[in-house]
Amino acid sequence: MKKIAVLASGRGSNFLAILAHINAGKINGRCVALITDNKDALAITRAEKEGIPVIIHHFKDYPDKAAYERDLLASMKETGADLFVCAGYMRIIGKEIAEEFAGRMMNIHPALLPAFPGLHSQKQALDYGVKVAGCTVHFVDAGLDSGPIIVQKTVPVLDDDTEDSLSDRILEQEHIAFSEAIALFCDDRLKIAGRKVIILPKNT
């Protein structure tokens, strides 16, 4: 059984979805920590209700990102987690952390990467006029939403969509995609080959 640590900055809806899949036996892992950069994150309350240890490194308490990430890296190592999951974690991961946990850290992004990286991806998609949007689970590297892609899910873009309505439908797929990718990792079914992530057959 793999040990999973979750990084989150806000309300934690993906965090809750992951916990639900763990509790339902769909992920062969257990959550050993919630790590947050925001002392007011709603995810903290949700973790405490589940009895999950919470580690808070409030970003605004640090003089700069380097100091913050030194403490973050130390805490990540201390968890002993096999996998780190960025579930609504709103900071770009620094190079040292990305390299330390290469192949062991995932992020979810509300767009079909490599299209529309960064913030407000749903608005970017609407402004561009795409007909299909979605979400991407990828391994984290030192770039912006640029790591190898694990799982993608699509949703149609409707003529009357707003940023909020599109975001809501994409979020539903995020909850499915993220847990699917985590389950594959926990079953040792992911192999990184350059930019490709190969999904291995069961019992390989």
Side-chain angles (χ1 to χ4, degrees):
M1 179 177 287
K2 295 287 195 296
K3 293 183 286 186
I4 302 163
V6 176
L7 286 77
S9 299
R11 60 184 178 174
S13 70
N14 267 307
F15 173 48
L16 277 184
I18 292 164
L19 291 180
H21 282 89
I22 290 173
N23 292 337
K26 297 180 180 179
I27 294 174
N28 185 26
R30 62 187 180 91
C31 185
V32 297
L34 171 74
I35 304 172
T36 181
D37 62 332
N38 176 11
K39 63 181 177 60
D40 299 315
L42 290 177
I44 294 171
T45 301
R46 292 170 172 178
E48 290 173 343
K49 286 181 179 178
E50 294 283 338
I52 295 168
V54 176
I55 300 168
I56 302 173
H57 292 299
H58 191 59
F59 185 81
K60 292 181 179 179
D61 291 341
Y62 288 84
D64 52 40
K65 183 177 179 180
Y68 163 77
E69 289 215 332
R70 280 195 296 270
D71 281 0
L72 176 61
L73 176 58
S75 291
M76 292 173 73
K77 289 179 178 179
E78 288 173 3
T79 67
D82 302 295
L83 176 66
F84 295 90
V85 175
C86 297
Y89 180 69
M90 302 306 292
R91 302 201 178 276
I92 298 172
I93 296 296
K95 182 179 179 182
E96 186 176 359
I97 292 176
E99 291 179 350
E100 177 72 29
F101 302 112
R104 296 173 48 206
M105 194 170 190
M106 291 180 186
N107 181 51
I108 192 157
H109 183 72
L112 296 174
L113 294 173
F116 314 127
L119 297 175
H120 306 295
S121 299
Q122 303 92 331
K123 184 177 186 303
Q124 290 184 59
L126 290 172
D127 289 347
Y128 203 84
V130 300
K131 301 300 184 185
V132 177
C135 60
T136 302
V137 185
H138 63 93
F139 282 113
V140 173
D141 63 12
L144 176 62
D145 300 321
S146 58
I149 292 169
I150 305 165
V151 172
Q152 291 182 304
K153 300 290 184 183
T154 62
V155 299
V157 178
L158 308 178
D159 290 339
D160 60 351
D161 261 330
T162 63
E163 184 177 358
D164 286 343
S165 65
L166 181 58
S167 297
D168 288 344
R169 291 207 313 285
I170 291 175
L171 185 61
E172 292 176 2
Q173 295 304 311
E174 288 182 38
H175 294 166
I176 297 168
F178 219 170
S179 291
E180 182 179 316
I182 293 167
L184 289 168
F185 181 94
C186 290
D187 289 341
D188 297 316
R189 293 182 58 199
L190 298 178
K191 177 183 177 182
I192 302 174
R195 278 222 51 87
K196 289 185 177 181
V197 177
I198 298 168
I199 299 177
L200 303 172
K202 290 184 179 179
N203 301 320
T204 296

